[in-house]
Amino acid sequence: MATIAFIGLGNMGNPMAANLVKAGHHVIGFDLVAKNREIAEANGIEISHNGAAALADTKTIVTMLAKGSQVVEVYGELAPMAQAGSLFIDCSTIDVASSRSAHAMAEDYGHFSVDAPVNGNVETAREGTLTVMVGGEDQAVSMAHPYLTKLGASIIHCGGPGAGQAAKICNNLILGISMIGVSEAFVLAGHLGLSAEALFEVASASSGQCWSLTHHCPVPGPVPASPANHDYKAVFASNLMFKDLKLAQETALELGAVTPLAAQAAQLFALHNRAGNGARDFSSIIELFSRKNS
C-alpha cells in the first residue's frame, strides 16, 4: 500500500481521504481549517502541519481545493520539492486554464499529473461511488487509476490535460439549466391545476426525463429522497452550482462559445443565492419562480 499526501480536507476531501485509508493506504493530510483537520484525524488520517511536510514519504499527491488559483499556488509550492516522478492528482473543480497550468508545472519538474474532478455529493464521497472525470496523458492516468477506483464507481478518461475539468463544467451546465426547466414546469403545472405527482409520472416516463427531475425533483412528494422533502437540505448546494455555471460562462467567453442559456442560468442562481439560499440544495431554485415569491 502507498503513502499519499492529501491537501484539502473539506466536505468532499475528508471522506475521499478516509476511503483511501480504508483501502489500506497511509494518508498524510493537510487543511487550513482546524475543524477539518480534527475530522480527518478521527478518520485515521495523519495530520501534517503544512502541505510541504506531507510530501516527506510519498510520491502521490492528491489535492481537493476550492479555486484554480489555490491549485496553481499549491502546485507551485509542492512540485519543486516533490520526489522525482511523483504523481499529482487534482480532484478540485476549477477552470480549465488553471488546470492546464498545474499540469505544465508538474511536467516541468518531471512529475506525472491528472485532473480528476468528481461528480456526486458528500454521501457518494463517503460511499466511494463518485463519478470521476479524468484528464491527462495515458501513463499518468494509468498510474492514478488504482487510487481513483477507491474514490469513485465510474472512472472516465476524457482526454488530455484539462479534459476532466472540461467534462465537469459541461456536465454541470446541463444540470443547472435542466433544473431551471424542471422547476418552471412544476410551477406552470401548479397554475394549471395539474398535480406534481401527475407531471412527474408523465415526464419521468417520457421526453422530459432527466437527472434534475428523477433525482433532485424540486417539489415535495414524487421523489422521497429528494432534498425538496427535507427543507432543501443540500445534497449539491446552490452556491456550488453557481460556481460551476460561472466557470462555464468564463470559459465560454474566453473561447467565443455561444451559451445564452448557461448565462441566464448563472444569473438566476446568483439572484437565488443573494437571497440567502447559497447553502441550500440547488433544487431550491424553484422558489425563485413559485407563487409565494411572485
Side-chain angles (χ1 to χ4, degrees), residues 215-283:
H215 288 73
H216 276 260
C217 185
V219 295
V223 180
S226 171
N229 292 297
H230 306 283
D231 196 29
Y232 296 102
K233 182 179 179 181
V235 173
F236 183 50
S238 185
N239 56 14
L240 294 179
M241 174 52 73
F242 173 69
K243 172 193 170 183
D244 290 352
L245 287 168
K246 187 167 179 282
L247 282 175
Q249 272 309 102
E250 290 170 349
T251 303
L253 287 171
E254 279 179 26
L255 300 175
V258 180
T259 57
L261 290 181
Q264 185 65 37
Q267 290 175 2
L268 290 169
F269 273 100
L271 182 62
H272 184 56
N273 293 349
R274 282 199 296 271
N277 298 298
R280 302 173 77 204
D281 193 75
F282 81 112
S283 57

Side-chain angles (χ1 to χ4, degrees), residues 142-165:
S142 294
M143 293 169 66
H145 194 267
Y147 306 112
L148 298 178
T149 57
K150 307 307 178 187
L151 307 178
S154 181
I155 316 300
I156 303 166
H157 186 190
C158 300
Q165 299 295 349

Side-chain angles (χ1 to χ4, degrees), residues 12 39 47 50 52 57 62 72 153 188 222 253 294:
M12 294 291 285
I39 295 170
I47 301 301
N50 60 44
D57 300 310
V62 181
V72 171
L188 178 59
L253 287 171
S294 60

Side-chain angles (χ1 to χ4, degrees), residues 2 29 42 103 128 168 242:
H103 275 280
K168 174 68 183 285
F242 173 69

Side-chain angles (χ1 to χ4, degrees), residues 69-83:
S69 58
Q70 294 172 339
V71 173
V72 171
E73 180 180 353
V74 167
Y75 273 54
E77 177 187 1
L78 301 186
M81 64 180 65
Q83 297 181 48

Side-chain angles (χ1 to χ4, degrees), residues 80-160:
M81 64 180 65
Q83 297 181 48
S86 289
L87 171 65
F88 282 76
I89 302 172
D90 180 39
C91 293
S92 317
T93 296
I94 60 173
D95 61 286
V96 175
S98 293
S99 180
R100 288 174 177 163
S101 293
H103 275 280
M105 262 188 278
E107 184 179 2
D108 286 345
Y109 286 96
H111 305 310
F112 301 92
S113 62
V114 298
D115 52 288
V118 301
N119 191 47
N121 52 56
V122 173
E123 186 59 34
T124 52
R126 288 195 192 102
E127 294 169 351
T129 56
L130 297 163
T131 296
V132 187
M133 295 147 279
V134 189
E137 302 300 338
D138 290 347
Q139 185 177 356
V141 174
S142 294
M143 293 169 66
H145 194 267
Y147 306 112
L148 298 178
T149 57
K150 307 307 178 187
L151 307 178
S154 181
I155 316 300
I156 303 166
H157 186 190
C158 300

